[in-house]
């Protein structure tokens, strides 16, 4: 007996996926417009979000539904710690803080874990299947845009304990289908996955403002530098 949850999730979040792809920050990222200050804030938010999600998944790893997709090889907390060390340095822990959207995301994870742990499936699905799907492409974009070397700043995209990401995704989907869920529970899981997409979008939107400011600042600097150079050149010309 299959619950068809994998298909229900894919079909039921299609719209949310398209919307997430169209958030300015995500679109800029795909075009290679990535700026370190914004990106490291995202990594910091992810650190809190994945820490909460992985802690709560661990708490419920014997749960009849959650246990089906409890795969510790997906865990991202340690890789995010490596990236935070890269972006913030030794004392990264003292430097990072959750943004308001990140805070809302973490709170929701804690809340569902305490009241309806089966909805942790939605949070796991939204993040990990996304990470497994776009990982390599996003890693290449981040490396190129921020001039990262092979070893620093992109550990998040590396699933070192998963040999074949495509095969793993299929295994994950099969596990979703094997879950003992009735239609009502499946509907709630899809609904929560849509909410998880929304929480991600809010986190990206917060960064959009930072990115626009940073691009504006870079433009301003380059314009004023050119002006200063121009006026110095003009000054030299009149001195002649
Ligand atoms: C940067 C923009 C994005 C692109 C280009 C992108 C691209 C893709 C692609 C091509 C797949 C299909 C992979 C396959 O069929 O095996 C996919 C799947 C997925 N993506 Fe994204 N994605 C993006 C953003 C996101 C975001 C922001 C999230 C959630 C926070 C997300 C979550 C997912 C999930 C959950 C799946 C699995 C769908 C399923 O098969 O059930 N994606 N993505």
């Amino acid at each position: 007996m299959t619950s068809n949850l994998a298909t229900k999730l894919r079909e039921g979040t299609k719209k949310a996926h398209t919307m997430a792809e169209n958030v300015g920050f995500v679109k800029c990222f795909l075009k290679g417009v990535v700026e370190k200050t914004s990106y490291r804030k995202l990594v910091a938010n992810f650190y809190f979000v994945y820490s909460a999600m992985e802690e709560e998944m661990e708490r419920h790893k014997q749960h009849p539904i959650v246990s089906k997709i409890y795969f510790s090889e997906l865990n991202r907390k340690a890789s995010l710690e490596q990236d935070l060390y890269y972006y913030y340095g030794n004392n990264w822990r003292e430097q990072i803080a959750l943004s308001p959207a990140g805070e809302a995301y973490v709170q929701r994870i804690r809340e569902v874990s305490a009241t309806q742990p089966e909805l942790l499936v939605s949070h796991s699905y939204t993040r990990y299947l996304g990470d497994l799907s776009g990982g390599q492409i996003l890693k290449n974009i981040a490396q190129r845009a921020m001039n990262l070397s092979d070893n620093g700043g992109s550990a998040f995209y590396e699933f070192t304990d998963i040999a074949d990401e495509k095969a793993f995704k299929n295994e994950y989907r099969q596990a979703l289908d094997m879950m003992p869920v009735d239609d009502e529970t499946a509907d709630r899981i899809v609904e929560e996955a849509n909410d998880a997409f929304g929480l991600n979008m809010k986190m990206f939107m917060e960064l959009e403002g930072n990115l626009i400011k940073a691009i504006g600042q870079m433009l301003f600097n380059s314009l004023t530098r050119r002006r200063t150079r121009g006026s110095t050149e003009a000054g030299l010309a009149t001195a002649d």
Side-chain angles (χ1 to χ4, degrees):
M1 253 291 279
T2 168
S3 64
N4 272 331
L5 187 57
T7 308
K8 284 180 180 168
L9 275 165
R10 175 181 258 180
E11 295 301 318
T13 58
K14 236 181 200 162
K15 236 191 224 164
H17 190 276
T18 307
M19 280 164 74
E21 278 180 79
N22 282 305
V23 173
F25 179 82
V26 177
K27 272 167 100 171
C28 281
F29 192 97
L30 286 179
K31 290 198 176 116
V33 182
V34 188
E35 176 267 329
K36 261 187 190 161
T37 318
S38 304
Y39 184 72
R40 70 178 195 169
K41 281 190 181 155
L42 180 63
V43 176
N45 265 342
F46 276 161
Y47 173 71
F48 291 109
V49 168
Y50 280 86
S51 298
M53 183 165 74
E54 287 165 11
E55 191 184 322
E56 299 307 332
M57 292 284 292
E58 164 90 24
R59 192 188 312 281
H60 294 289
K61 67 180 176 190
Q62 311 287 358
H63 184 281
I65 294 175
V66 176
S67 60
K68 296 280 189 277
I69 47 130
Y70 181 79
F71 296 108
S72 60
E73 54 271 55
L74 285 172
N75 286 355
R76 303 287 74 213
K77 185 180 173 189
S79 64
L80 285 162
E81 284 176 349
Q82 280 178 43
D83 285 347
L84 287 169
Y85 180 86
Y86 176 86
Y87 289 110
Y88 288 93
N90 225 345
N91 62 343
W92 60 268
R93 272 181 211 277
E94 286 96 69
Q95 292 190 60
I96 61 167
L98 258 176
S99 72
E103 176 98 50
Y105 198 164
V106 168
Q107 262 182 26
R108 182 63 189 159
I109 290 170
R110 301 282 188 209
E111 188 184 345
V112 299
S113 175
T115 57
Q116 311 172 70
E118 64 280 6
L119 299 189
L120 286 171
V121 171
S122 322
H123 289 277
S124 163
Y125 164 81
T126 303
R127 283 302 335 167
Y128 294 130
L129 271 213
D131 296 337
L132 287 169
S133 299
Q136 214 49 42
I137 297 170
L138 298 182
K139 179 188 166 184
N140 291 341
I141 294 174
Q143 283 185 332
R144 228 175 302 132
M146 293 184 287
N147 280 325
L148 305 175
S149 74
D150 244 357
N151 316 315
S154 58
F156 175 66
Y157 301 107
E158 294 282 356
F159 287 90
T160 46
D161 295 334
I162 296 176
D164 181 341
E165 291 174 6
K166 203 163 176 229
F168 191 90
K169 259 186 350 189
N170 285 335
E171 199 185 320
Y172 190 102
R173 288 198 183 103
Q174 276 166 18
L176 286 171
D177 285 342
M178 295 306 291
M179 279 179 180
V181 290
D182 55 23
D183 285 349
E184 184 270 330
T185 311
D187 287 349
R188 279 191 298 117
I189 290 174
V190 174
E191 196 183 332
E192 183 69 20
N194 278 304
D195 285 351
F197 269 90
L199 290 164
N200 276 278
M201 282 168 64
K202 284 193 183 134
M203 231 165 43
F204 300 142
M205 282 170 181
E206 262 179 354
L207 291 170
E208 228 163 280
N210 287 317
L211 185 62
I212 290 164
K213 254 188 247 157
I215 293 171
Q217 189 64 51
M218 274 191 290
L219 267 175
F220 178 77
N221 288 348
S222 93
L223 279 174
T224 48
R225 222 179 293 131
R226 221 180 285 159
R227 278 245 177 89
T228 317
R229 215 185 302 136
S231 61
T232 317
E233 276 159 13
L236 284 173
T238 45
D240 269 346

